[in-house]
Amino acid sequence: MWIRKSSLLCIFVLLLGVLGPTSAFHPASRAAGTDEFLSGQITVVLQPGADINAFNALHNTYVIEQLPGSDSYLLGLASGVSVDAELAEVAGDNDVVVAEHNFVVKPAEVRQISHAFLDQISHAFLDTQSPASFYGQPSLANLHLPQAQNIARGAGVRVAVIDTGLDMNHPLFGGRLAWPMFDFVDNDGSPQEEPGGNGYGHGTFVAGLIALTAPQATIMPLRAFGPDGTGSSFNIAKAIRYATDNGAQVINLSFGLSQPDGFIKDALSYAYSRTYMVAAAGNDNLNAIHFPASFKSKTLGVTSVTDNDLKAAFANYNADVQVAAPGVNLYSAYPGNNWAWWSGTSFSTALVSGEAALMLSLRPNLNRSNVSSIITSCGPSINSLNPAYNGKLGKVRIDYLSALNQTLKSK
């Protein structure tokens, strides 16, 4: 039995809020309408073999942390030096491959202050049967999941969930957790969800939908976000590398920035040959998608539709969206042995991560580009139902059975 790191018992009753999340990072703003970043530090990737000590002496910086086995660093700045000034200085150094802000990263639902709606009725958990709202939810009725699970159930596949953690005492996850796991916020091996902010429950909810879709896959919870739902690009990159190095075949990335981040890009490139990554398009209802979903060569970007295949009111749309999945009023696990309803592209992303797990359980050596090709071609086109968003909601809405049938034909 896992012991919670916090002894505070909290029932997170969910109402629409008017206040944004409080960050423990004391972030600065880069410019109006762009992402926040952490003051007093930068992230850098140096050329292989570059001398970090010589670099620090030249630029008056110091190492806060190095990503294990890499030339990637989190560097502290001298007192009074601005981040932008430091980045401008190091940009001319031939030893620098990437130099970036250490951005504040958030799940889309935290960015938009979207909350779960807690089910006030207590449900006994019975695998494959109860709660009925979980195993028989109408949003998934058109995806042919039961038929697909007659072919594959995700056995042998490890799915990393980089998020706010997970309620490891929730009955849904009994026998479904993968080791090693890690908490990059508290730097320990127990990535338990912590109460106290707008991010609470996000990782548990995401993991629950993956467990629903691919029930024999194992979930590797990697906590990179605090209970307020904020994390740093350095910790995100560290979690991506950790998941890759520890055998995750799928990585769920239900978070985003409004702009690309070269430091995370470097981690995604490191991971790409060994794992499959699925990312959320965002909840701004804008003709743009969040990064890393926008990094199409390395991730699969997912947006949300209703159970009638209409664009979700909150969902981002763009020609770079690759696939659509249900994302409105989904029902999943919530901390404290609870269940809840929630909407967002983060949760559509979880459904697609589960789809990838089903496919890879059938064909473990399936080329990653083939995974994307199958997911984005197996399902109905929804353009005619969404003429105002033609070509901007992905190629298809996912269909599990169609994808698995095509996987069986693939090498």
Side-chain angles (χ1 to χ4, degrees), residues 4 22 74 101 138 156 187 197 213 260 282 297 308 392:
R4 297 181 186 277
T22 301
L74 178 64
H101 301 77
N187 288 314
T213 305
S297 65
N308 295 318
K392 296 182 177 181

Side-chain angles (χ1 to χ4, degrees), residues 127-129 134-137 140 143-155 172 176 208-217 350-351 354-355 357-359 361-362 399-405 408:
D127 201 8
T128 76
Q129 297 184 53
F134 180 62
Y135 287 105
Q137 49 192 301
L140 308 187
L143 308 188
H144 301 110
L145 178 59
Q147 298 92 327
Q149 289 178 343
N150 288 330
I151 300 172
R153 296 173 64 80
L172 176 62
R176 290 190 170 119
L209 292 171
I210 295 169
L212 172 66
T213 305
Q216 290 181 357
L351 296 178
E355 181 179 20
L358 294 175
M359 294 166 60
S361 70
L362 279 181
D399 185 284
Y400 295 117
L401 180 61
S402 178
L404 290 192
N405 283 333
L408 288 170

Side-chain angles (χ1 to χ4, degrees), residues 125-368:
F125 176 72
L126 185 60
D127 201 8
T128 76
Q129 297 184 53
S130 178
S133 296
F134 180 62
Y135 287 105
Q137 49 192 301
S139 294
L140 308 187
N142 297 326
L143 308 188
H144 301 110
L145 178 59
Q147 298 92 327
Q149 289 178 343
N150 288 330
I151 300 172
R153 296 173 64 80
V157 177
R158 179 174 297 193
V159 183
V161 179
I162 301 175
D163 215 293
T164 60
L166 184 144
D167 180 4
M168 293 180 291
N169 297 302
H170 198 289
L172 176 62
F173 303 116
R176 290 190 170 119
L177 298 183
W179 278 261
M181 54 186 69
F182 202 76
D183 184 334
F184 297 96
V185 179
D186 292 340
N187 288 314
D188 61 39
S190 178
Q192 174 71 36
E193 286 259 21
E194 292 287 331
N198 287 329
Y200 183 52
H202 192 273
T204 298
F205 198 94
V206 165
L209 292 171
I210 295 169
L212 172 66
T213 305
Q216 290 181 357
T218 54
I219 294 168
M220 176 194 291
L222 300 176
R223 184 174 180 246
F225 298 83
D228 63 353
T230 62
S232 70
S233 52
F234 183 83
N235 276 351
I236 296 294
K238 186 160 57 168
I240 291 169
R241 283 175 167 265
Y242 184 95
T244 304
D245 291 342
N246 286 284
Q249 291 100 322
V250 180
I251 304 179
N252 189 90
L253 307 169
S254 287
F255 51 80
L257 291 164
S258 64
Q259 59 201 308
D261 172 56
F263 195 77
I264 295 177
K265 272 189 175 183
D266 182 73
L268 296 170
S269 297
Y270 172 83
Y272 178 71
S273 64
R274 288 185 279 167
T275 189
Y276 188 76
M277 295 172 285
V278 189
N283 296 357
D284 310 290
N285 189 30
L286 293 176
N287 186 7
I289 61 173
H290 290 173
F291 173 85
S294 61
F295 195 21
K296 290 179 63 178
S297 65
K298 300 295 185 289
T299 68
L300 184 79
V302 183
T303 197
S304 293
V305 293
T306 68
D307 55 3
N308 295 318
D309 289 338
L310 301 178
K311 188 191 90 69
F314 53 80
N316 286 358
Y317 53 95
N318 189 265
D320 286 339
V321 171
Q322 296 179 69
V323 75
V328 179
N329 293 331
L330 296 178
Y331 189 92
S332 187
Y334 196 77
N337 295 343
N338 290 311
W339 303 85
W341 291 270
W342 211 340
S343 299
T345 57
S346 287
F347 314 126
S348 304
T349 300
L351 296 178
V352 180
S353 290
E355 181 179 20
L358 294 175
M359 294 166 60
L360 290 170
S361 70
L362 279 181
R363 294 284 188 266
N365 296 320
L366 189 64
N367 183 280
R368 298 309 182 248

